[in-house]
Amino acid sequence: MSVIGRGTWIDKLARELLEREEQLGRSLDMIRVESGLGASGIPHIGSLGDAVRAYGVKLALQDAGYKSELIAYSDDLDGLRKIPEGMPDSLKEHLAKPVSLIPDPYGCHDSYGMHMSSMLLDGLDRVGVKYEFRRAADTYKKGLLSEQIHTILQNSAKIGSKIAEMVGQSKYETSLPYFVVCENCERLYTTQSLEYIPDERKVRYSCKDAVIGDSQIPGCGHEGEADIARSLGKLAWKVEFAARWAAFDVRFEAYGKDIMDSVKVNDWVADEILRYAHPHHVKYEMFLDKGGKKISKSLGNVITAQKWLEFGTPESILLLLYKRITGARELGFDDIPGLMNEYNELEDVYFGRTKVENPAKLTKSRGLYEYVNLLEPPSVPGIHVNYMLAVELARIFKEDRVTRVVKKLTEYGVIKESDDVENLVSLAGRYSDEFDRQETVHIEIDDAAKKALRELAGKLAGSPGDIQNIIYDTAKSNGVPPRDFFRILYQIILGTTRGPKIGPFISDIGAQKTADAIMRHV
RNA sequence: GGGUCUAUAGCGCAGCCAGGUAGCGCACCGGACUCUUAAUCCGGCUGUCGAGGGUCCGAAUCCCUCUAGACCCGCCA
């Protein structure tokens, strides 16, 4: 079989998409791909993944000679359903309101929704993904979906029974798939859409008490009519994607398996109600935390791009997201070291420093490397330092860290003096501070060892000489087994029971300083 | 009730989506270096690829059935 594009799943997906579009006979002048951004909780790496992968498809399409753009669409008319972990309780009064109408609790954006969306966009910016930003609030305000809304509401009975048939949800058999934002109290999930008046293009609604999750949300009792092109309101998810695809001419959208049912229904609505052939899809699994639990936007176990980038490079995120799309993934920050090293291995393959026999695998690895670099791979390889080695060194050197770790790496022959690895050392340093906390060990020192330590401290304070031998001799002459004596020294100096060869190490950190540290323990 | 994913060495995992000699890390064993703890380096062992069937010259990989576990949907968005 011949190689498609650059040999990755992304190229294969783009090929499928193009073949389907050709069959449909649609214009290929501009192929839009879309990613929906949740705006009601802290955006985690899975949300970022949706957009990053869509961007990958955009790149593949461009690579195949087509014009393409990524629409990043913020669902900021969605209502706030519960207060995310760690957010102020004052949000309670805003429950059930669209997140774009809730003030930003941090005060830095024009709304709660924009605060959340901006976090995700910041993540995209920092890994180098380009996008066209759109938001639900503007889309509905401008009436961009009004034709689709009109068609959907006219067919609501047919859609309602189809939803019940396809996914077993009976709700839309009796109510319209449209939520009005109450013009009196600004709440969205408290309104019931009673009737659609096609001639006026208005939805008649009333605002009543509602239960969302654990919370009882009071309605204000208001009754009114909402103009689908002007008033604030939105379609239910079961039909909203379809309207958006048709209005924006979207040809591709990935989705997580949690919204599989919604996508199934929306595909049908697009095809049969709106007469717009639904976009091509790919389904991906959720990222789970290390216990196998779903990472929840509103729970605490969230891995954000911002946090990840404190410890890893943008490339480590892109590698995570591009290496494969299938399969459930348990994800934690402890995956960073592996991904950092894997990127280097990939780079070695790309530049031919590592031989790969299987030509298919070579193509695939090279392709993956290119996508991780957003199809603009560097012309020369970077400097490779094993990430965990950098973390280990960073753990030892806390003061004046970058300089000392770099010096050590140079001594080890890992890097040349002129190499710039400061960024890597900083990343590794933060990783070591955050995750590599050493257990505080209780140090047991008997009298013989204490005597030996005092003697050693005195010798170190004088002329150091061959420290390794001095330590060994001091232990022996005081009747302390060298093994125990070394262990005590590691505990005093590093807080661990083992470490690098200790003589040269003491020279590094200073004999006098070590002597002082020893004296504090005897 | 509906759906998806996972199962590979003692442990943790990659390889599967484009079939071509079963891999990595840790652990373990041997060796080197060290009058010398630890580290380091070199070499080695470890497998009915969950079970059964099918396709194929050839299957961990593709197809079907089954078993076990996890997750999602069946509120809402």
Side-chain angles (χ1 to χ4, degrees), chain A residues 31-70:
Chain A
I31 306 174
R32 278 192 198 84
V33 306
E34 185 186 48
S35 171
L37 326 174
S40 36
I42 310 274
H44 57 83
I45 204 112
S47 321
L48 190 85
D50 190 275
V52 167
R53 283 158 167 168
Y55 187 71
V57 172
K58 177 205 125 114
L59 290 176
L61 289 168
Q62 281 178 337
D63 202 36
Y66 298 90
K67 257 176 91 174
S68 178
E69 69 178 16
L70 167 66

Side-chain angles (χ1 to χ4, degrees), chain A residues 45-117:
Chain A
I45 204 112
S47 321
L48 190 85
D50 190 275
V52 167
R53 283 158 167 168
Y55 187 71
V57 172
K58 177 205 125 114
L59 290 176
L61 289 168
Q62 281 178 337
D63 202 36
Y66 298 90
K67 257 176 91 174
S68 178
E69 69 178 16
L70 167 66
I71 295 176
Y73 183 92
S74 167
D75 283 307
D76 63 357
L77 266 189
D78 288 5
L80 185 67
R81 305 189 65 252
K82 56 185 167 189
I83 302 167
E85 202 73 26
M87 305 274 295
D89 276 346
S90 57
L91 283 169
K92 197 157 191 238
E93 60 167 309
H94 298 297
L95 281 174
K97 289 185 190 174
V99 290
S100 51
L101 293 183
I102 301 172
D104 181 359
Y106 302 102
C108 45
H109 294 86
D110 69 15
S111 68
Y112 176 99
M114 272 311 283
H115 183 95
M116 296 305 180
S117 295

Side-chain angles (χ1 to χ4, degrees), chain A residues 13 16-17 20 241 245 251-255 263-264 266-267 278-283:
Chain A
L13 203 54
E16 287 168 10
L17 187 158
R20 178 163 177 274
F241 306 156
W245 296 335
R251 309 293 181 84
F252 172 82
E253 179 152 7
Y255 63 93
V263 171
K264 197 165 32 165
N266 275 288
D267 280 350
H278 68 262
H280 191 55
H281 297 298
V282 66
K283 175 183 69 64

Side-chain angles (χ1 to χ4, degrees), chain A residues 275-416:
Chain A
R275 301 290 168 196
Y276 175 85
H278 68 262
H280 191 55
H281 297 298
V282 66
K283 175 183 69 64
Y284 55 86
E285 290 287 311
M286 307 282 94
F287 282 111
L288 307 173
D289 71 13
K290 290 295 180 185
K293 296 275 169 284
K294 185 190 175 185
I295 293 179
S296 164
K297 292 179 209 194
S298 36
L299 247 66
N301 57 350
V302 175
I303 297 177
T304 62
Q306 281 75 15
K307 194 75 183 166
W308 186 287
L309 288 168
E310 285 180 29
F311 317 116
T313 53
E315 288 80 7
S316 66
I317 291 188
L318 292 171
L319 176 57
L320 168 78
L321 296 170
Y322 283 148
K323 62 187 285 193
R324 74 191 159 120
I325 189 162
T326 53
R329 311 281 291 279
E330 294 191 4
L331 185 70
F333 291 110
D334 53 355
D335 289 313
I336 292 175
L339 285 162
M340 293 290 286
N341 289 338
E342 192 176 340
Y343 177 79
N344 288 344
E345 287 161 19
L346 216 48
E347 190 164 76
D348 282 340
V349 170
Y350 182 79
F351 286 102
R353 299 202 288 206
T354 303
K355 287 273 172 286
V356 174
E357 298 300 330
N358 185 327
K361 286 190 172 136
L362 177 63
T363 305
K364 197 171 163 183
S365 295
R366 290 179 53 101
L368 178 56
Y369 180 77
E370 288 164 340
Y371 275 104
V372 169
N373 283 284
L374 304 175
L375 297 191
E376 288 174 358
S379 51
V380 289
I383 299 141
H384 293 184
V385 175
N386 181 289
Y387 188 83
M388 274 322 277
L389 174 62
V391 170
E392 285 296 320
L393 290 171
R395 184 167 57 78
I396 292 166
F397 300 107
K398 291 207 163 45
E399 294 162 38
D400 204 6
R401 174 178 278 163
V402 174
T403 319
R404 297 186 114 158
V405 172
V406 169
K407 179 168 171 280
K408 212 62 196 160
L409 287 170
T410 313
E411 281 174 26
Y412 286 172
V414 172
I415 57 170
K416 291 198 275 296

